[in-house]
Amino acid sequence: MSGLYSIPIGGLKEGRYNYDFDLDNKFFSEFEESEIKEGKLVAKVEIEKRSSHLEIKVLINGIVNIECDRCLEEFQHFLDCENRLLVKFGRIHDESDPDIITIPVDEHELDLKQYFYEYILLAMPIQRVHPEGRDGKSTCDPEMLEKLSKHIVTDEPSTDPRWDELKKLISNN
């Protein structure tokens, strides 16, 4: 049974092969817990088949819609990443190293769907906020920024009074 994101590996002769995959909203809908619901990406897969293994290079680029951590509105984020995967042929299925997998010799195809998804998530920024505009100001929702500014605490005590009492004990000894 061939999957949408699978590559045929059974019967490949030594050499180079290229495959392209479209990763769109349907792709992200296959992952229930995905924080990304919409996107339009292309995954270019370059395979070099050798006698004992496959060297796979995956280039993914395009746009995903993600939620801003600051104002909670969606925005488009450009994503561009490159990853490598080494596929060895053997009897024992081993995935202890995320960049090297071992699959049975008689396997006829390799499903890359989970790898594509993980590569996309790893390429996402840790802090997801709207990019700044040309004027250097935030492009976040101004209403939400105004609400947030009302809740910012600016005059915190410089020291914790509990620590001050402990410091007095130390200095008295």
Side-chain angles (χ1 to χ4, degrees), residues 48-104:
E48 186 167 342
K49 168 75 162 95
R50 304 225 172 137
S51 60
S52 62
H53 66 278
L54 298 170
E55 290 180 20
I56 301 175
K57 182 166 79 170
V58 179
L59 302 160
I60 301 175
N61 60 36
I63 293 175
V64 292
N65 290 349
I66 55 177
E67 188 176 275
C68 178
D69 291 340
R70 188 181 301 143
C71 71
L72 304 178
E73 278 199 4
E74 275 195 3
F75 69 99
Q76 291 187 334
H77 174 72
F78 180 75
L79 188 130
D80 187 20
C81 64
E82 179 179 329
N83 294 276
R84 295 188 180 278
L85 182 65
L86 183 70
V87 180
K88 298 189 311 186
F89 300 104
R91 293 177 190 223
I92 301 171
H93 186 76
D94 179 21
E95 289 191 25
S96 58
D97 184 336
D99 296 328
I100 302 173
I101 60 171
T102 304
I103 61 173

Side-chain angles (χ1 to χ4, degrees), residues 5 11 24-25 35 43-44 46 49-50 54 56 60 92 114 117 126 147 160 173:
Y5 309 103
D24 54 14
N25 300 352
E35 58 193 274
K44 294 183 180 293
E46 298 175 14
K49 168 75 162 95
R50 304 225 172 137
L54 298 170
I56 301 175
I60 301 175
I92 301 171
Q114 186 66 37
Y117 181 68
I126 292 172
K147 288 178 184 178
D160 187 334
N173 287 334

Side-chain angles (χ1 to χ4, degrees), residues 5-18:
Y5 309 103
S6 297
I7 53 173
I9 57 173
L12 283 182
K13 296 183 182 192
E14 288 188 32
R16 291 183 185 262
Y17 301 88
N18 294 307

Side-chain angles (χ1 to χ4, degrees), residues 14-171:
E14 288 188 32
R16 291 183 185 262
Y17 301 88
N18 294 307
Y19 300 91
D20 289 346
F21 297 92
D22 290 325
L23 310 176
D24 54 14
N25 300 352
K26 184 179 180 205
F27 172 78
F28 293 109
S29 71
E30 294 187 31
F31 298 92
E32 286 183 29
E33 301 297 321
S34 177
E35 58 193 274
I36 303 170
K37 304 295 183 207
E38 296 178 1
K40 184 148 181 63
L41 302 153
V42 174
K44 294 183 180 293
V45 179
E46 298 175 14
I47 299 174
E48 186 167 342
K49 168 75 162 95
R50 304 225 172 137
S51 60
S52 62
H53 66 278
L54 298 170
E55 290 180 20
I56 301 175
K57 182 166 79 170
V58 179
L59 302 160
I60 301 175
N61 60 36
I63 293 175
V64 292
N65 290 349
I66 55 177
E67 188 176 275
C68 178
D69 291 340
R70 188 181 301 143
C71 71
L72 304 178
E73 278 199 4
E74 275 195 3
F75 69 99
Q76 291 187 334
H77 174 72
F78 180 75
L79 188 130
D80 187 20
C81 64
E82 179 179 329
N83 294 276
R84 295 188 180 278
L85 182 65
L86 183 70
V87 180
K88 298 189 311 186
F89 300 104
R91 293 177 190 223
I92 301 171
H93 186 76
D94 179 21
E95 289 191 25
S96 58
D97 184 336
D99 296 328
I100 302 173
I101 60 171
T102 304
I103 61 173
V105 178
D106 60 346
E107 191 74 33
H108 296 290
E109 66 181 24
L110 178 63
D111 188 0
L112 295 172
K113 179 173 69 174
Q114 186 66 37
Y115 293 100
F116 291 159
Y117 181 68
E118 289 174 9
Y119 294 155
I120 291 166
L121 290 184
L122 289 171
M124 298 293 290
I126 292 172
Q127 187 177 19
R128 300 167 186 169
V129 294
H130 280 91
E132 290 183 351
R134 292 181 187 209
D135 57 0
K137 293 184 179 179
S138 174
T139 57
C140 283
D141 177 18
E143 286 181 36
M144 181 60 85
L145 291 180
E146 186 179 324
K147 288 178 184 178
L148 287 172
S149 69
K150 291 178 183 175
H151 297 284
I152 293 176
V153 178
T154 54
D155 51 331
E156 289 185 26
S158 58
T159 60
D160 187 334
R162 296 171 291 182
W163 286 111
D164 292 339
E165 291 299 317
L166 288 172
K167 287 178 186 174
K168 286 179 188 175
L169 288 174
I170 293 171
S171 61

